[in-house]
């Protein structure tokens, strides 16, 4: 395999959330894409702190202020989550939600240390809206403390690998305990805000999925968020 590997970002879970300006527009590529439309300033009226976040839509709008980190490869697939969302490559959930933008027909998950293929899933031939795929992991729960890599393929072409680590040890226990205490217990938005504050944006995104699927407005905001991460205007 010739795809470029990169060293995972192993840092404290208490990293500050970075507020950056609008990303540069993505240059056109050979891949078929939907027409790109101009839009108003994405930061207009969006929350500037988690204290201002009340709803799931508020949280997605707040997350749009993050740094675009989508990873690409030999074809135009922008891998977003896990591993590229927020400011850490770590994940608390042992069942990731794989999110990317760009046409692909297969997703592969491997153990980073052994190279063993743990999950090799064919992607539906139906192209989702705006080429944004959100594929839940359906394999055996991942092991806390282990490092994994994932990529997507289209024919013989592969994206770059993206690495992520499932949190283990004391940090996992601390987060698990927090989830069982007020105000987080039973409150999806508060739990998602907690994950964002910890830098675990992929976990927040997993929690918000039911609301995203049920709300047209929230779904549209999420699409804009992923386009921002992939530097598409």
């Amino acid at each position: 395999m010739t795809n470029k590997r990169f060293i995972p970002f192993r840092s404290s879970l208490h990293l500050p959330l970075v507020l950056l300006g609008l990303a540069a527009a993505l240059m056109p590529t050979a891949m078929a894409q939907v027409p790109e439309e101009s839009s108003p300033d994405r930061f207009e009226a969006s929350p500037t702190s988690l204290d201002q976040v009340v709803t799931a839509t508020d949280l997605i709008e707040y997350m749009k202020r993050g740094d675009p980190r989508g990873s690409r490869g030999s074809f135009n697939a922008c891998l977003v989550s896990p591993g590229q969302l927020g400011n850490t490559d770590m994940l608390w959930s042992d069942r990731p939600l794989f999110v990317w933008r760009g046409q692909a027909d297969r997703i592969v998950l491997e153990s980073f240390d052994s190279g063993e293929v743990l999950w090799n899933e064919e992607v539906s031939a139906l192209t989702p809206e705006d080429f944004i795929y959100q594929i839940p992991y359906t394999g055996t729960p991942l092991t806390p403390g282990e490092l994994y890599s994932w990529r997507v393929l289209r024919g013989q072409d592969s994206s770059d690998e993206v690495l992520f680590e499932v949190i283990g040890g004391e940090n996992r226990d601390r987060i698990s305990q927090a989830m069982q205490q007020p105000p987080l217990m039973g409150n999806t938005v508060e739990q998602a805000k907690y994950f964002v504050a910890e830098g675990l944006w992929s976990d927040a995104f997993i929690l918000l999925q039911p609301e995203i699927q049920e709300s047209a407005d929230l779904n549209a905001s999420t699409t804009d968020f992923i386009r921002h991460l992939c530097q598409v205007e």
Side-chain angles (χ1 to χ4, degrees):
M1 181 164 52
T2 60
N3 298 312
K4 179 181 177 182
R5 288 181 182 268
F6 54 85
I7 303 301
F9 184 74
R10 297 172 182 251
S11 64
S12 166
L13 295 178
H14 297 284
L15 294 174
L17 297 177
V18 181
L19 303 182
L20 296 180
L22 188 64
L26 178 68
M27 295 295 292
T29 67
M31 189 192 82
Q33 292 190 9
V34 295
E36 311 295 4
E37 298 179 356
S38 61
S39 60
D41 182 355
R42 71 174 68 253
F43 297 153
E44 183 178 355
S46 63
T48 58
S49 75
L50 285 175
D51 291 338
Q52 297 173 330
V53 171
V54 177
T55 67
T57 300
D58 290 342
L59 190 57
I60 291 295
E61 291 297 320
Y62 173 81
M63 292 166 72
K64 285 181 188 177
R65 292 176 172 269
D67 181 13
R69 294 182 63 206
S71 175
R72 300 178 185 275
S74 60
F75 67 99
N76 194 27
C78 170
L79 276 57
V80 172
S81 181
Q84 293 289 96
L85 186 59
N87 53 10
T88 177
D89 66 355
M90 289 188 169
L91 183 73
W92 179 75
S93 174
D94 57 10
R95 293 181 179 275
L97 175 71
F98 294 99
V99 182
W100 74 91
R101 185 180 190 272
Q103 293 174 312
D105 49 40
R106 185 165 295 277
I107 177 173
V108 177
L109 174 70
E110 300 176 347
S111 165
F112 179 77
D113 293 327
S114 69
E116 178 186 0
V117 175
L118 305 175
W119 195 58
N120 188 337
E121 192 78 1
E122 186 175 350
V123 176
S124 171
L126 297 176
T127 302
E129 183 178 357
D130 206 41
F131 301 104
I132 294 173
Y133 291 82
Q134 301 181 54
I135 307 297
Y137 172 67
T138 57
T140 302
L142 303 183
T143 304
E146 292 295 314
L147 190 62
Y148 298 91
S149 68
W150 72 283
R151 56 196 171 97
V152 298
L153 297 93
R154 189 177 69 193
Q156 298 300 313
D157 293 326
S158 174
S159 68
D160 285 343
E161 292 178 315
V162 170
L163 309 183
F164 68 95
E165 180 178 349
V166 178
I167 295 171
E170 293 181 0
N171 279 322
R172 186 172 192 82
D173 293 340
R174 174 179 59 81
I175 293 172
S176 299
Q177 291 172 8
M179 290 291 127
Q180 301 303 316
Q181 303 294 327
L184 304 186
M185 184 173 60
N187 189 321
T188 299
V189 174
E190 287 300 320
Q191 289 178 352
K193 285 171 60 176
Y194 175 86
F195 279 131
V196 169
E198 292 284 325
L200 303 172
W201 290 24
S202 289
D203 287 294
F205 202 72
I206 291 172
L207 279 179
L208 295 177
Q209 276 306 296
E211 293 191 45
I212 291 172
Q213 298 303 320
E214 293 176 3
S215 168
D217 289 342
L218 183 54
N219 192 287
S221 184
T222 301
T223 295
D224 185 53
F225 172 44
I226 294 174
R227 287 166 62 86
H228 163 58
L229 292 171
C230 293
Q231 303 181 57
V232 176
E233 298 302 327

